[in-house]
Structures are given as C-alpha cells and as structure tokens.
Amino acid sequence: GFGDVIGGVGIVIIAGVIIGTFLEHSGGAAAIAAWVLKRVGRKRVPLAMSMTGYVTSIPVFADSAFVMLAPLNQALTLRAKLSLATTVMALMLGLQTSHTLVPPTPGPIAAAGILGADLGLVLAIGLPVSFVAVLLGWLYAEKWAGRVELDPAEGLIETDPVPRPDAPGPAKSFAPILVPLVLIVLRSVAELPAQPFGSGWAAEAIGFVGTPFVALLIGIVLALTLPKKLDTKMLASSGWVGKAMQSGAVIILITGAGGAFGKVLQNSELVDLIGQALLGSSIGLWLPFLIAAALRAAQGSATVALITTASLLAPTADSLGLGDPIGKALMVLAIGAGAMVASHANDSMFWIVTQMSGMDVKTGYRLQTVLTTALGVSTAFLLWLVGLVVL
C-alpha cells in the first residue's frame, strides 16, 4: 500500500512542490495572485477555486491537481486576507466533485463500463448535478470552513506574496501550471474512441508528454525560466530545489503511510463484509450510495470504491429497478456520490490537503471529513430527486 501510493503520486508531489517553490521565490505566485484577484475580486476567491478545482479534476487525478493548484490557492488567499481553511476546502470539494461524477475521470468511466451504462447519459445527468454539487461545496466551505481560522502563511508560501519589480509577468507565471494541465487534457482527448489525433506518431507523442509526471517535469523546466537569472545555487540541496525536496519528502511519507493504512483495511476483508451486509437491502438509488460510502470510508480510495461497488451491484440492477439506461446512469452517479464520503486518515488526499496547508489532523477531520460527507449526502439527495422525475 505504501509503495503503490508513492509510486502513483510521489514524483507528482515532488514536481508540484518544486514548481510551487519557484513560483513563490521568483515572485510568480504574487503576479498570478494579483492578476486573478483583479478579475474575480477578493470576496469571490473561494468560488473561483471551487470552479478551478472542478474543471481541473476532470482530466487530472484530484490529489495531483491539488498539488498543482495549492501554491496558487495559497497566494490568492494571502492576497485576499482570507482564512486558508475556506479556500482549501472550496478547492478540495471542487476537485472531489468532478473526480467522482464526471467522465473521463477513471472512476466514473470504469463504473459505467462495469454496469453497462451509456456514457452520454452519465454525462447528460452528471454535468448539471455535479455543477449544483460544486456550488453546494463552495457554500459549505464558506459557511463551515469559514468559521476556522487558518493562517495562509502556514502552508507552502512562507510570506505574503507582494509583487516586486523583477517578478515574471502573469503569462510566464501561469505557464508552469497551465502547460502541464493542457498536455494532460490533450492526452485524454487523444485516448477517446474516436481517436481525434489518429493512431500515428502524433497520438503517441501526445500520449507521452501528457502522462502526468512527464507533463509536470515539463512544468519544472518552465518554472526554471521564472527567475530573472537562473543561478545554479537554486538547484542545490541548500537552494530552492532543496527546500522543495524537504517539504515534499514529509508530504510523501505521510501520504504513503495513509496508503499503507488503506491496504491493511482492504486486506482485512472488511470491504467484502460491508458490501455483503448492505446488499440484502432494497432501497433504490440509496443502496449504491451507501455501499460506495461504506467502502470509501473503509479503504480510502474513491476510485476503488466506485469500481468495487459497481462490480458488487452489476448483477442486481434489474432487481433494484435500475436496469434501464437512465437507471444505470443514475446508479453510476449514486456510486460516485458515495465515493465522495468521509475522506479521512486512510485517504492520500486527506494527508496531501492537511500537510500542504499546515492543518493538524483534528482540523482535517473537522473540515475535510465532515464536508466530503455533507457533499456526498447532498449529491445523493439531488440524484434521488432526479430519479423521482425520470425513472
């Protein structure tokens, strides 16, 4: 479990932290913050981060996307003089919403394939429902997380970023963040069944550079252009890269420990026990939601919860009254809503969020665990209302 998690997100975390460090020390983070704040206004930063997270997590895994966006989020929070708790939770909930509800994110696509659901219907229902859900997540972050004072200076960026004369411009500062995201999105488009880029060298090249860790390594190269003059001391163990590696190492170790905890729970047969206990119930759309929520809480991974629940329930769609195309699409989304619930200590995202924002574990449970549960239940209720109309 430790190795699987680190193998999946370790390089991504290190690359993201290096990019964030160069943005911080070069003045790029301040330039981005000033540009965004000028356009969205100080009071709308949490909403802007919710929507940014929602869009970003469609092609990018939620934990990787959080690492990439955390420096920008913190810089905006410092400039807007808000509590970091509000903006971090707004970003995290936006990421979680599309991560569990909107294809081509791997979890929803896998669940749809297992259940034989039409992806067009999943998107047709999932997009409006997920859009309402992300707005609810923003409101939850404002009202609940807004009560918690968390100093933005406790996160990645050590001081309030103030634009300075030698800072790079907004376009140059955005490049290390946006270019990797665009490359990853292009890779997702290239892998569509229609093969819009064909099957030749162009598609292979896009597939290579769009691999998350390759895209982020390209982001690092772009980040090296941010200082007015690149000094080799910046790359030393005592320089900017060294500081980034120290910060990233702590995050990776704690994230890996969360993966180990999740694997212990998976191997304890708790997953099968919970699934079989709930399988005897017949409560319509609430059954896939409850099973997915129980599996998410038991082993930590939203994607595993989506896939496992879909596999458990695939033979029962007709008996649940969800055997038609619309019913199967709603079933996929109900499983996704359950997979949002209860992000806690066995979830790598929990540790990435808490460690990168200077949040202690108690506060992490109070905010991330409570708000992911609230958003998952709210989304399930929205789907239940849709089901009353269309089923």
Side-chain angles (χ1 to χ4, degrees):
F2 189 94
D4 286 346
V5 169
I6 290 180
V9 301
I11 296 177
V12 170
I13 288 173
I14 288 292
V17 173
I18 290 174
I19 291 170
T21 301
F22 270 78
L23 280 169
E24 170 197 346
H25 291 292
S26 68
I32 291 174
W35 187 89
V36 174
L37 275 180
K38 187 176 179 180
R39 282 151 183 81
V40 305
R42 294 179 185 273
K43 293 183 178 179
R44 293 196 292 270
V45 169
L47 177 59
M49 294 316 301
S50 284
M51 299 310 300
T52 301
Y54 174 80
V55 173
T56 303
S57 192
I58 293 173
V60 184
F61 259 84
D63 47 7
S64 303
F66 184 89
V67 171
M68 296 166 70
L69 294 170
L72 172 60
N73 178 66
Q74 190 185 351
L76 288 172
T77 306
L78 282 163
R79 296 279 292 167
K81 295 180 171 58
L82 298 172
S83 168
L84 187 60
T86 305
T87 55
V88 160
M89 287 301 107
L91 173 60
M92 183 274 300
L93 292 173
L95 292 166
Q96 288 289 308
T97 301
S98 52
H99 180 68
T100 56
L101 295 176
V102 183
T105 310
I109 279 195
I114 293 167
L115 292 170
D118 183 280
L119 267 182
L121 281 174
V122 174
L123 277 169
I125 300 172
L127 283 174
V129 168
S130 63
F131 187 75
V132 175
V134 80
L135 293 178
L136 287 174
W138 160 61
L139 289 174
Y140 293 159
E142 289 267 20
K143 302 299 181 184
W144 181 262
R147 302 175 185 175
V148 177
E149 286 298 325
L150 189 64
D151 185 357
E154 292 298 317
L156 291 174
I157 299 173
E158 297 171 0
T159 57
D160 189 356
V162 178
R164 56 179 195 254
D166 64 341
K172 194 173 183 180
S173 301
F174 269 117
I177 298 174
L178 292 184
V179 169
L181 291 179
V182 170
L183 292 175
I184 293 169
V185 170
L186 285 175
R187 179 174 179 261
S188 298
V189 172
E191 292 177 348
L192 291 173
Q195 293 185 322
F197 297 109
S199 57
W201 66 268
E204 291 181 4
I206 291 170
F208 174 71
V209 297
T211 304
F213 68 83
V214 175
L216 279 164
L217 289 176
I218 293 171
I220 289 177
V221 173
L222 292 171
L224 296 178
T225 68
L226 294 177
K228 194 168 184 178
K229 183 180 179 182
L230 183 63
D231 190 331
T232 53
K233 292 180 180 178
M234 297 175 182
L235 310 180
S237 59
S238 58
W240 296 2
V241 171
K243 291 180 180 179
M245 295 291 282
Q246 289 174 11
S247 301
V250 175
I251 297 167
I252 286 174
L253 288 172
I254 294 175
T255 301
F261 182 34
K263 180 62 71 175
V264 169
L265 291 175
Q266 287 180 43
N267 290 346
S268 69
E269 300 182 358
L270 184 62
V271 170
D272 293 335
L273 182 65
I274 292 171
Q276 293 302 324
L278 289 173
L279 201 55
S281 308
S282 182
I283 46 178
L285 279 174
W286 290 101
L287 177 61
F289 166 78
L290 288 173
I291 292 179
L295 297 185
R296 166 64 188 267
Q299 52 76 44
S301 168
T303 302
V304 170
L306 274 153
I307 294 169
T308 306
T309 306
S311 301
L312 277 171
L313 294 180
T316 68
D318 290 330
S319 61
L320 291 172
L322 301 171
D324 64 327
I326 292 179
K328 288 182 178 179
L330 284 170
M331 202 170 174
V332 170
L333 296 169
I335 293 171
M340 286 186 207
V341 167
S343 171
H344 65 101
N346 60 7
D347 177 17
S348 62
M349 184 72 165
F350 178 87
W351 295 107
I352 289 172
V353 170
T354 54
Q355 294 303 303
M356 294 189 79
S357 56
M359 193 184 299
D360 61 33
V361 174
K362 181 180 178 181
T363 305
Y365 273 99
R366 181 182 173 188
L367 296 180
Q368 184 157 335
T369 307
V370 169
L371 290 181
T372 50
T373 301
L375 186 59
V377 173
S378 301
T379 305
F381 184 72
L382 286 172
L383 291 166
W384 177 72
L385 291 177
V386 173
L388 293 179
V389 176
V390 300
L391 286 178

